[in-house]
Amino acid sequence: MRVEIREVGLRDGLQNEAPVSLEAKALLLDAVVATGVRRVEATAFVSPRAVPSMADAEQVAALLHRWPGVRFSALVASLGGARRAVAAGITDLEYVVSAGDGHSRANVRIGTEEATEQVAEVAAVVHDAGGSVEVIVATAWDCPFDGPTPPERVLRIVERACELGADELAIADTIGTATPVRVQRLIGAVRDRVGPVTLGAHFHNTRGAGLACAVAAVGEGVLRLDASAGGLGGCPFAPGASGNIATEELVYLLQDMGIETGVDLQRSIDAARLAQDVVGHLVPSNLLRAGDRKR
Amino acid sequence: MRVEIREVGLRDGLQNEAPVSLEAKALLLDAVVATGVRRVEATAFVSPRAVPSMADAEQVAALLHRWPGVRFSALVASLGGARRAVAAGITDLEYVVSAGDGHSRANVRIGTEEATEQVAEVAAVVHDAGGSVEVIVATAWDCPFDGPTPPERVLRIVERACELGADELAIADTIGTATPVRVQRLIGAVRDRVGPVTLGAHFHNTRGAGLACAVAAVGEGVLRLDASAGGLGGCPFAPGASGNIATEELVYLLQDMGIETGVDLQRSIDAARLAQDVVGHLVPSNLLRAGDRKR
């Protein structure tokens, strides 16, 4: 069995940090590519006012030719973002739709339904450029504004997204509140609704259950998981620390479970250490401090 | 479904910390009892030279009458420890046997087999006092000295322990290296070997997979899990930080999965905060910083 890890440290991990230099991002890209990971979400084309650390998206895009053989993608939250990404040469996009209406309006000033309908235009833009679009359903289990997300809202988004041209899907626990049973139920229901489309999952370790959710998702047929080097995006000091699951912890977990990832654990720990240096504060990965086990 | 949480923060959590005052331990006991937890491993009767923070075991034992209705226990690693515990009035004991011979010799200067045979005498001492003994198999998946633990070593211990009078069993991932598939296999095999004896599990979050292992163990019929307030025993700064799974994260997880624990999440967060104050450094619980979700 093989599960693909998508490294999202450079996007989700860095987006809430103070901006880091382009040179630091290049070093980090070098390190994550050296781990063996072959999908990397490299940046986001979003409002530079709202997310200053992604303001250099075009410059990051211009670096990516350095690492042939890696599939780089970018996150967008609007048609304008998709156009910017494609103009910058990134044609594999993640387009986010929040299942929580409150979160959607707070993030992109339109509700879930309107954001879902935009899949058509985003898909047209990337398909014209020979690329692909994955629709990520954010706040799929809980919304920080609306509370628990009715599963039917998620199912309607994925169904409609497929009709409108989404090439892949991912289900995201944006605020790190999911646990295995809810993961099984929702992912199982999504799978039933959309059939054989490629389905990824995206978890945060905000309440400690990130890897437990990842295991549950894999059990439901999810074959791609997002993770960030060192658990970038969180910090053991910060209230509400909410990094993604840490890539190296996920690699250890899957490897120990006999699941192939193509990612080297020791290099993944090296990348995590570099990620920590880049942000200049402790990242929440336990494995980074403990290291691999004696084999 | 109900899973019992045993709070081990006062023992496993504090044992590697600088000694804290008896007053601080009493406050922490107050806080954990207030969460609703009804099993608490309160201390260890072990060498005060080797584990200075447990040197006050007799004094801790003398406090426990303050909280009627709670089943307090103590950990021991030798017959002498068992006698001390019983003399101090604690008659429910956890007696540890390391499945890794290297770990056993480093810890108690005798090998696994000899330590296993001591179950008979420990059981006689506690049974004479009207108490009970749980045998905890330490380093059940991996030994820091010997590497991976052959499952047959664990099975031989649990089988022999039952023959020699163990009342309950627990399987412990002492160094936090297990992952769900290995948990399922070993716990399933233990279950097959020993039949219906009460079986607990004890996980550390050293490599991030603690809660994932807990879920796997519950799936194999484990109905009691050890956890420590705040994940005491670990520290986000320390190399090899290896706290137990955090009680409040386990409570959140089980509650969200529809499994009853009788433990109040908010009070469990309060206890974790106090635990952090008691040790005077950050504890590795993410939930402590993130809080419960909006319901």
Side-chain angles (χ1 to χ4, degrees), chain B residues 97-98 101 104 110-118 153 156:
Chain B
V97 177
S98 279
D101 220 56
S104 184
I110 55 175
T112 301
E113 209 178 309
E114 204 180 329
T116 305
E117 292 304 311
Q118 282 203 5
R153 290 186 65 87
R156 239 179 299 145

Side-chain angles (χ1 to χ4, degrees), chain A residues 175-198:
Chain A
I175 56 170
T177 54
T179 61
V181 167
R182 289 204 292 152
V183 168
Q184 281 161 4
R185 281 192 198 135
L186 185 60
I187 303 239
V190 166
R191 181 50 78 214
D192 290 348
R193 187 70 66 102
V194 297
V197 61
T198 300

